[in-house]
Amino acid sequence: MTQRDFDHIAEQLQQKSGILISGTTVKRLAQGEFARLPQIATLNAIANYYDYKTWQDFKASKIEDGPEKKSAEKRGKRFSIKYLSIPLVIIILGSFYFFHSTKGSVSNGEKASFSFRKNTANDIPNSVVFNYNIDEVQADSFFIQQSWDENRRIKIYKNSYTVTDIYYEPGYHIAKLIANDSAIKTLDVSIPTDRWFFYAIDNIAHYTTQYIKADAFNNNGSLGLSIQQLQENNIEAGKDKRYHYVYFPGHMDIHADNFQYKTRVRMQQVRNSLCPYIEIELYCQRGFMNMRCTTKGCAHEAFIIFGEQLKKGSDNDLSPITFDVSQWTDIEITVKNKVAVVKINDKEVFSTRYATDTKYLSGLGFISNGLCEVDRVELYGLDGKVMYKNEF
C-alpha cells in the first residue's frame, strides 16, 4: 500500500466518525509500529467506522466469557494483547471496503469531460496534463487512474479541472476517469519508443523504475545487456529485480487477433535465483498476452495469459511451457481468430481460445529476473504484413 492509500483510508474514517486521523497514523497502525495502544480518539474513530459508539463498546462486543470468570487484571492483559492487533485488522478491512466495494450509485456520468496532452512528444518519463470536468456528475468520490494499475490513482474534486501525472514507463496506457468504482470515461495514452528501451524495477508492487542507458545493446549478435552496463547505471544486480526490454512502435497496424510471433531467447542470471524465468509479452491496445517460462522444477511459478484466459501454474499443469531458460530456445506464438497456439522448439505446448477484443498490437517485450539475450524477433500479421523483424 502507498501513502496515498493510507490517506484515503484516513479520509474514510473521518467521514464516518468526524475524527481527523492522519494518513501517517493509519500507516503506523497498519504496520504495527506502536509500543502501546493508540490514542482513544483514534480507536473511537475505528470503532465508529464499524457502527460502534466507542472503542470500549467495540471491545465489549468481542468478549466471549469462558466457563471460568477471569479477574479484572487478567482481562485487562487479555485486552492489551488481543486487541493490540485490532487496528491492523480494521485497516485491512477498511482498505478492502474502500477499494473494492461500490459506495453508491453514479448519475450523470455522461456529462463528464476528460482529455489530456503530453508535455513532451514521447520522452520517458513523460508528464501528462489531464483536463476534466465532473461538476455535474453525482458520486461519492472521483479519481484519475493513469493505467491498469489501481495504485496509480489520483483523487480529484469538483470545481477543479486540471491534474498532472507522470508516466515512468513507455507503452499504450488506458487512463480512466473513475466515479466511485466505475470508469465513466477512458483515454488512450500512447507513449511509444520506436526503439528498444531498457529498465529495471525492484518490485512490481512498489514500481520503483530505474532506467538503463546503453549506447550499445547488441552483445555477440543478440539483443541484450551486460552486468557491466548495469553497474554503469548504478543498478544493484545483487537485489531481486525484474529487467524489462520493451519496444513500442509509433504506428500500429497488426490486429492482435491474427498474427504470428517468433523469437529465440535465453537468459543469464545476475544473482542466485531459485526460479529463473523469462516472460514473453505482447502488448495490445486492450490488455496483454504474456507467458512466463521457467525451469521444470518451478512450474508452479509459470503462467500464461491470452485475453481473459489466465492460466497459473499453481492450479494448472504448465510443465509443457517450462524449459532450461539458460539455453537458447525457440518460441512461436500464432493467433488466428482469437485462437492462440504456442510452440516451443517446434512442438505445440499450449492452445486456448479467448473472447476479449484486444484490438491492435501495441508493442513487445522481454521480462526476466536475469538478463535476457534475444537472438531474433519476428512479428507478422497473418496477411504477411511485418510489424517488426530483427536478427540483431
Side-chain angles (χ1 to χ4, degrees):
M1 295 175 66
T2 65
Q3 186 59 46
R4 185 184 301 165
D5 299 328
F6 295 119
D7 291 339
H8 287 327
I9 295 169
E11 188 173 294
Q12 290 293 301
L13 291 171
Q14 182 184 8
Q15 288 179 5
K16 187 72 176 283
S17 67
I19 300 171
L20 177 62
I21 301 174
S22 72
T24 301
T25 297
V26 173
K27 182 177 180 179
R28 285 203 305 269
L29 290 172
Q31 296 179 348
E33 295 176 353
F34 49 91
R36 55 186 173 81
L37 283 175
Q39 294 182 7
I40 191 63
T42 300
L43 298 177
N44 285 344
I46 295 171
N48 293 165
Y49 185 80
Y50 285 93
D51 298 320
Y52 293 92
K53 188 175 181 179
T54 67
W55 180 250
Q56 294 297 329
D57 291 338
F58 174 81
K59 288 199 299 183
S61 72
K62 304 301 178 185
I63 297 173
E64 293 180 1
D65 290 328
E68 297 180 0
K69 296 287 185 178
K70 297 185 180 290
S71 66
E73 180 181 356
K74 288 184 178 179
R75 186 172 298 154
K77 289 182 179 178
R78 184 167 61 126
F79 282 145
S80 64
I81 295 172
K82 181 176 180 179
Y83 292 105
L84 195 62
S85 63
I86 285 294
L88 175 59
V89 177
I90 298 300
I91 297 306
I92 292 172
L93 292 175
S95 62
F96 180 85
Y97 171 85
F98 181 76
F99 286 107
H100 297 283
S101 67
T102 301
K103 298 180 288 299
S105 60
V106 177
S107 59
N108 297 331
E110 72 282 357
K111 295 184 178 181
S113 64
F114 191 35
S115 62
F116 79 95
R117 64 176 172 81
K118 292 185 285 188
N119 276 350
T120 62
N122 293 310
D123 293 344
I124 298 295
N126 199 315
S127 290
V128 172
V129 179
F130 291 102
N131 295 300
Y132 63 91
N133 189 324
I134 53 175
D135 289 352
E136 296 185 62
V137 183
Q138 299 301 314
D140 297 323
S141 57
F142 300 91
F143 304 89
I144 288 177
Q145 181 174 311
Q146 66 164 239
S147 66
W148 58 270
D149 184 5
E150 290 189 3
N151 291 321
R152 299 288 186 172
R153 284 189 177 187
I154 297 176
K155 190 163 189 178
I156 57 174
Y157 303 89
K158 292 186 177 184
N159 302 312
S160 181
Y161 308 104
T162 302
V163 68
T164 300
D165 203 356
I166 188 167
Y167 286 82
Y168 292 101
E169 299 172 29
Y172 200 92
H173 309 279
I174 310 300
K176 300 176 182 179
L177 178 62
I178 296 174
N180 291 347
D181 293 322
S182 303
I184 57 175
K185 297 284 183 180
T186 61
L187 294 172
D188 291 29
V189 182
S190 178
I191 306 177
T193 60
D194 287 318
R195 69 188 193 280
W196 285 99
F197 188 86
F198 308 90
Y199 61 94
I201 57 175
D202 282 336
N203 185 297
I204 193 68
H206 296 159
Y207 250 76
T208 302
T209 306
Q210 296 175 282
Y211 301 133
I212 304 172
K213 297 179 180 179
D215 294 331
F217 48 80
N218 281 24
N219 294 317
N220 299 319
S222 62
L223 171 72
L225 298 171
S226 66
I227 294 178
Q228 180 180 349
Q229 287 172 315
L230 298 184
Q231 294 170 342
E232 291 170 354
N233 284 270
N234 297 316
I235 306 293
E236 296 182 62
K239 288 188 175 181
D240 186 12
K241 296 180 181 290
R242 289 165 54 88
Y243 298 92
H244 295 240
Y245 304 0
V246 297
Y247 176 90
F248 291 96
H251 180 64
M252 293 159 284
D253 57 1
I254 294 182
H255 206 285
D257 292 343
N258 291 280
F259 69 88
Q260 185 174 53
Y261 169 87
K262 297 180 180 180
T263 189
R264 188 167 186 256
V265 64
R266 70 180 179 184
M267 66 89 82
Q268 172 194 2
Q269 290 205 61
V270 295
R271 62 187 297 272
N272 185 19
S273 300
L274 296 177
C275 292
Y277 63 80
I278 298 171
E279 290 181 23
I280 306 297
E281 184 146 20
L282 293 162
Y283 302 88
C284 310
Q285 288 181 312
R286 292 296 183 274
F288 310 90
M289 297 179 181
N290 195 355
M291 179 174 69
R292 175 182 287 184
C293 302
T294 184
T295 58
K296 290 190 179 297
C298 295
H300 177 275
E301 301 295 325
F303 63 77
I304 194 163
I305 304 172
F306 286 96
E308 77 285 354
Q309 298 294 330
L310 167 60
K311 306 293 183 183
K312 297 181 180 180
S314 57
D315 48 22
N316 293 272
D317 180 10
L318 293 185
S319 57
I321 71 169
T322 62
F323 53 84
D324 183 352
V325 295
S326 68
Q327 302 299 312
W328 286 115
T329 302
D330 292 299
I331 297 174
E332 178 181 323
I333 300 173
T334 302
V335 175
K336 184 175 182 180
N337 298 327
K338 298 185 179 180
V339 176
V341 177
V342 178
K343 293 183 179 180
I344 294 179
N345 291 331
D346 295 322
K347 180 182 178 181
E348 183 175 326
V349 294
F350 180 84
S351 64
T352 190
R353 178 185 295 274
Y354 61 91
T356 303
D357 182 9
T358 51
K359 295 193 173 182
Y360 287 87
L361 290 168
S362 61
L364 54 95
F366 299 89
I367 306 169
S368 177
N369 55 354
L371 295 179
C372 285
E373 296 177 63
V374 186
D375 186 55
R376 69 172 184 272
V377 182
E378 302 175 18
L379 182 57
Y380 306 92
L382 294 186
D383 59 359
K385 186 181 295 183
V386 179
M387 178 175 175
Y388 186 84
K389 182 179 180 179
N390 199 326
E391 296 184 356
F392 305 107

